[in-house]
Amino acid sequence: MRLHGYFRSSAAYRVRIALALKGLTVESVPVHLLRGEQRSDSFRRLNPQCLVPVMETGAGIIAQSLAIIEWLEETHPQPALLPRDPYLRARARSFALAIACDVHPLANPRVLNKLRSDFGADQAQVDAWYRHWVELGLGALEHLVEPAAVERGICFGTAPSLADLCLVPQMFNARRFSCDLAAMPKLVAIDAALNKRPAFQAAAPDKQADFEAR
Ligand SMILES: N[C@@H](CCC(=O)N[C@@H](CS)C(=O)NCC(=O)O)C(=O)O
């Protein structure tokens, strides 16, 4: 298996956590997003959307982090990345989709670049855009986890789930852009607990071969 990603891509980070939790090793292929490598002809052939992550599997190519994670879940079911209880599964999916579909797309490099290039936004305005959407999204998600989740150190169920795989990378990015996390103490505490787990540590941006400090 080959995972095309970028150390700072939060969508690729989700997949890296899933792989680490399941104890799977893949070949990592860095795609430098700031240099525009995602728009190269060779990468476009893998994913015409020009987005990472992309997983090359024995069965073929898969784009979209949640589809890759579901494929991993179906081909390597243990440990499970969704709670057994159907209602908790739905809540974990709901939380993960809120991040992946509603929060993350508004803060993608190509969206931020468009604000700069076509609407004249300066860095302060781009940062304000970023913080607005991330704080709004995470602020709402704070209400979806119960106080007991803080004691467990995971969002739902008894083991890290899809929700946790989406939360940690989004919190990483939120901190990178100095978002105000004061309104989401439960998410801050759960994120801190998750980051003590070896699988989450191994998947962190600064542990990747293409990591660049900056
Ligand atoms: N829904 C996609 C989102 C993928 C995505 O937005 N990837 C970002 C990095 S986190 C990307 O490749 N951006 C390139 C760009 O904006 O040009 C997924 O979950 O895989």
Side-chain angles (χ1 to χ4, degrees):
M1 289 190 282
R2 278 153 64 97
L3 178 65
H4 298 256
Y6 179 58
F7 72 98
R8 210 183 270 137
S9 155
S10 60
Y13 191 175
R14 298 171 196 149
V15 175
R16 294 197 301 261
I17 301 170
L19 288 165
L21 284 169
K22 288 182 181 290
L24 299 170
T25 309
V26 297
E27 182 188 342
S28 290
V29 185
V31 180
H32 203 298
L33 298 187
L34 298 187
R35 293 191 200 128
E37 290 177 5
Q38 70 276 29
R39 292 185 292 277
S40 68
D41 289 345
S42 58
F43 188 77
R44 203 180 285 267
R45 276 193 290 276
L46 282 177
N47 183 7
Q49 271 194 298
C50 302
L51 298 172
V52 295
V54 170
M55 180 80 102
E56 287 186 72
T57 76
I61 294 162
I62 311 172
Q64 290 292 336
S65 59
L66 298 192
I68 297 168
I69 293 167
E70 276 193 39
W71 177 82
L72 287 171
E73 184 74 348
E74 286 164 13
T75 53
H76 301 84
Q78 297 303 326
L81 298 179
L82 282 166
R84 287 174 69 90
D85 174 74
Y87 177 60
L88 283 182
R89 288 169 88 90
R91 288 182 64 193
R93 284 194 171 109
S94 169
F95 187 99
L97 289 168
I99 291 179
C101 301
D102 300 336
V103 179
H104 175 264
L106 288 162
N108 222 340
R110 62 183 182 173
V111 172
L112 305 184
N113 288 339
K114 193 80 176 162
L115 291 175
R116 288 186 191 96
S117 65
D118 289 21
F119 301 98
D122 60 21
Q123 193 55 45
Q125 289 168 317
V126 169
D127 289 349
W129 166 280
Y130 186 100
R131 289 186 195 120
H132 171 77
W133 293 114
V134 171
E135 289 168 11
L136 188 76
L138 290 177
L141 289 175
E142 172 76 3
H143 299 285
L144 298 190
V145 293
E146 285 158 8
V150 174
E151 283 151 42
R152 293 193 308 267
I154 49 175
C155 290
F156 304 101
T158 54
S161 75
L162 199 56
D164 304 295
L165 269 55
C166 289
L167 174 65
V168 166
Q170 192 61 61
M171 293 293 277
F172 172 86
N173 274 359
R175 271 192 231 94
R176 196 161 72 83
F177 279 80
S178 306
C179 291
D180 183 357
L181 303 179
M184 48 214 84
K186 286 181 286 180
L187 298 187
V188 169
I190 295 167
D191 175 57
L194 288 165
N195 277 312
K196 292 194 179 119
R197 293 175 180 260
F200 285 75
Q201 289 174 355
D206 65 351
K207 299 295 187 316
Q208 308 314 305
D210 59 334
F211 171 72
E212 290 168 3
R214 195 181 50 80

